[in-house]
Amino acid sequence: MHFFKLTLLASMASLLLLAVAPAIANNTYPPLDKHQWTYDTDPYGSEAIINEKLIRHGGIWIKFKRVPRIDEKRNSWVELIHKLPTMSLAGNKKIRLTYQCDIPLLIKLSQQEYGKNGDQSYAHYQIKLPATKQWRTTEVDLKDFYRPDWTPDSSTDFGLLPEHIDAIYLTPSLTDKDGGEAILQVRAIELLP
């Protein structure tokens, strides 16, 4: 009888730990600040679909539908935007991202020299992360970012200047030619010295 009681107590304790462990695991990430996240699409028919609001249950779920490029002067785009709390990446050398994306994901660094107040090439420094259908935490070093191969010759490369970067764009790697659809989820982003 004593053995039966011990076995029953051990089983109950195991079940309790299993029930509590996922709740603890979900709370280990810093909360996403709704004031630092937004999204954008072109005016040519691309879409962003969210589930009631951008941040739900501690994370982001967003489905993008990108139309193919319209013509030489009008390109389509979709992007999830993380506005940096200090409006700069100064003092940071790495970005840690916990995400899921069903196609490879581009992290782009919105630097003033290449955006609407700069040369308007939008050839921002970027890095490509692999597709994943499971939560994946990846740390990327700013020194590993590069300008895209489509960067126009007219765009002067000022280098990556962390103090001139005010936002991080997360963009599924849908092509200009074909457009397409992708689901992106984000659970955490951290800036590291």
Side-chain angles (χ1 to χ4, degrees), residues 10-22:
S11 297
M12 287 174 42
S14 296
L15 285 173
L16 182 61
L17 282 174
L18 286 174
V20 172

Side-chain angles (χ1 to χ4, degrees), residues 115 127 146 157 186:
I127 195 165
Y146 52 88
D157 189 349
V186 175

